[in-house]
């Protein structure tokens, strides 16, 4: 086995994610200190990216812990070299998954985790985690321990060599499988996703998050939605709004312009910067309609406005406009 350079300037680091923006964010945080960082953002080429880069440190920057697990188990099931590649795995998680990922790390499924989503309050922590991974690998190598890491639970023997990748004219083949396998897998996945989405939509009511620090206004807007069968969520600050969205992703947000910890424009900008919430429409609620507020809100990603005072009919019209499922009911 070749000696692997584990110095920060040469050690291979691979950042894997389904989001180009997330991968680029993590990559930028690392590139100042680690000069051999690569990004892997196309699921179709996950195995090829790993095998081409042979990372000493693999950073999993996925939206959910489940996605990170699927990716990593998929590598072991499909790659012919991951079993023999010495590497350590750092997974980025949100606060709701901390204990779960801690348990996975303690069992050896991953090596370390960083509480990273939705806010990078301790951005240097990810750099330190990579430094620590390289130090541990260096100490082990000096002690003569150059064995590759064990496969995740549920994965045993290395896979047989994959057939040559068949290039499709319009769709990339999934993880090096043959074209027929890829098309079959794609169709099955779409069917499962459609069924799962329909089941989830049927089991959960539509949800609207009201971001308003005035309790009277919260109750007033909530009463105006009575009879629509909507689950109503409340947040009194911008920070609380993001927390509530992680707990239960709403179908629409009513955002007050004035909040105690920030303003509604900045809160909207932060929400829209999170990939999982980018498609959720945000309606700004304001007592005035100055041009600068309108312009800045639209730039931040707001979909529309509600100017106080508004009545029940106006609110219902806006809700139906931005929640098609409500309009169809």
């Amino acid at each position: 086995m070749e000696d692997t350079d584990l110095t920060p300037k040469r050690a291979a680091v691979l950042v894997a994610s389904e989001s180009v923006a997330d991968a680029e964010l993590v990559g930028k945080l690392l590139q100042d200190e680690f000069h051999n960082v690569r990004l892997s953002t196309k699921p179709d080429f996950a195995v090829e990216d790993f095998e081409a880069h042979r990372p000493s440190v693999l950073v999993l920057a996925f939206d959910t812990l489940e996605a990170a697990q699927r990716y990593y188990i998929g590598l072991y099931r499909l790659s012919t070299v991951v079993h023999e590649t010495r590497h350590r795995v750092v997974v980025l998680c949100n606060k709701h998954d901390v204990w779960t990922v801690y348990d996975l790390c303690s069992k050896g499924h991953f090596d370390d985790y960083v509480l990273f989503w939705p806010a990078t309050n301790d951005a240097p922590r990810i750099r330190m985690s990579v430094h620590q991974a390289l130090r541990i690998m260096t100490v082990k190598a000096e002690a003569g321990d150059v064995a590759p890491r064990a496969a995740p639970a549920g994965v045993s023997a290395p896979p047989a060599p994959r057939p040559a990748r068949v290039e499709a004219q319009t769709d990339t083949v999934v993880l090096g499988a043959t074209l027929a396998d890829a098309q079959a897998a794609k169709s099955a996945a779409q069917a499962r996703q459609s069924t799962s989405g329909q089941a989830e939509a049927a089991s959960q009511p539509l949800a609207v998050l009201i971001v308003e620090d005035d309790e009277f206004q919260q109750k007033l807007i909530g009463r105006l939605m009575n009879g629509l069968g909507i689950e109503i969520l409340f947040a009194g600050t911008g920070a609380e709004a993001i927390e509530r969205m992680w707990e239960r992703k709403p179908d629409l947000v009513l955002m007050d312009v004035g909040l105690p910890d920030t303003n509604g424009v900045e809160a909207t900008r932060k929400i829209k910067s999170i990939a999982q919430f980018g498609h959720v429409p945000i309606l700004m609620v304001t007592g005035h309609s100055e041009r600068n507020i309108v312009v800045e809100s639209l730039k931040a990603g707001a979909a529309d406005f509600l100017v106080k005072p508004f009545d029940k009919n106006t609110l219902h019209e806006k809700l139906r406009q931005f929640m098609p499922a409500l309009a169809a009911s």
Side-chain angles (χ1 to χ4, degrees):
M1 183 178 293
E2 296 183 7
D3 291 335
T4 301
D5 193 330
L6 297 174
T7 60
K9 289 187 177 182
R10 293 185 178 274
V13 179
L14 182 65
V15 179
S17 176
E18 294 171 328
S19 165
V20 174
D22 290 346
E24 289 179 345
L25 169 63
V26 175
K28 287 178 182 177
L29 289 174
L30 295 174
Q31 285 169 351
D32 287 343
E33 296 186 28
F34 305 96
H35 298 179
N36 189 12
V37 178
R38 297 290 183 273
L39 309 181
S40 178
T41 59
K42 295 182 179 180
D44 294 348
F45 296 106
V47 171
E48 286 84 348
D49 290 343
F50 184 94
E51 295 182 349
H53 199 48
R54 295 285 189 105
S56 296
V57 181
L58 175 63
V59 179
L60 304 182
F62 289 85
D63 291 342
T64 65
L65 181 56
E66 292 77 13
Q69 290 177 282
R70 285 196 303 270
Y71 166 88
Y72 194 51
I73 291 174
L75 281 184
Y76 270 87
R77 287 177 174 166
L78 295 169
S79 173
T80 58
V81 304
V82 66
H83 299 74
E84 61 189 41
T85 302
R86 292 180 62 226
H87 66 282
R88 291 181 70 83
V89 183
V90 178
V91 60
L92 309 188
C93 69
N94 61 62
K95 67 178 185 179
H96 304 294
D97 289 330
V98 165
W99 283 106
T100 302
V101 75
Y102 166 82
D103 186 56
L104 290 170
C105 288
S106 67
K107 293 177 180 177
H109 190 98
F110 302 125
D111 296 293
D112 195 8
Y113 68 90
V114 177
L115 179 56
F116 195 81
W117 313 117
T120 56
N121 295 324
D122 186 7
R125 174 69 178 81
I126 188 173
R127 295 181 183 177
M128 183 52 62
S129 183
V130 175
H131 275 301
Q132 190 68 10
L134 294 175
R135 289 170 185 164
I136 291 172
M137 292 182 71
T138 299
V139 170
K140 287 188 174 184
E142 291 173 349
D145 181 0
V146 292
R149 62 178 290 117
V155 182
S156 53
R162 300 188 311 281
R165 187 172 69 231
V166 179
E167 298 293 343
Q169 292 182 348
T170 56
D171 291 326
T172 305
V173 178
V174 178
L175 295 176
T178 63
L179 180 58
D181 289 340
Q183 291 173 334
K186 182 177 179 181
S187 297
Q190 288 175 337
R192 287 195 302 271
Q193 190 174 43
S194 175
T195 302
S196 175
Q198 291 172 359
E200 184 176 354
S203 63
Q204 279 193 321
L206 294 171
V208 171
L209 173 62
I210 300 172
V211 187
E212 166 67 67
D213 63 315
D214 188 311
E215 290 187 10
F216 175 77
Q217 289 293 328
Q218 284 185 357
K219 292 177 181 178
L220 177 61
I221 298 174
R223 285 184 187 139
L224 292 177
M225 285 192 265
N226 284 345
L228 293 177
I230 294 175
E231 179 182 352
I232 302 173
L233 314 171
F234 295 102
T237 65
E240 187 182 356
I242 294 177
E243 289 185 9
R244 295 306 305 272
M245 292 185 74
W246 281 108
E247 294 168 359
R248 166 74 159 96
K249 185 164 67 174
D251 298 279
L252 182 140
V253 176
L254 296 177
M255 175 73 70
D256 189 46
V257 170
L259 297 171
D261 62 333
T262 184
N263 61 66
V265 175
E266 183 59 29
T268 296
R269 186 176 291 111
K270 289 181 179 179
I271 290 172
K272 288 295 182 178
S273 71
I274 300 171
Q276 295 93 322
F277 308 139
H279 69 284
V280 177
I282 299 179
L283 306 187
M284 306 300 293
V285 179
T286 177
H288 35 73
S289 55
E290 285 91 342
R291 183 176 181 277
N292 64 316
I293 294 179
V294 172
V295 172
E296 290 304 312
S297 297
L298 292 175
K299 286 182 179 179
D304 207 339
F305 292 83
L306 275 168
V307 180
K308 300 176 185 175
F310 49 83
D311 58 21
K312 181 177 179 179
N313 291 335
T314 301
L315 176 60
H316 286 200
E317 182 180 347
K318 291 288 186 182
L319 294 178
R320 290 192 174 95
Q321 180 181 349
F322 292 97
M323 296 186 354
L326 181 62
S329 61

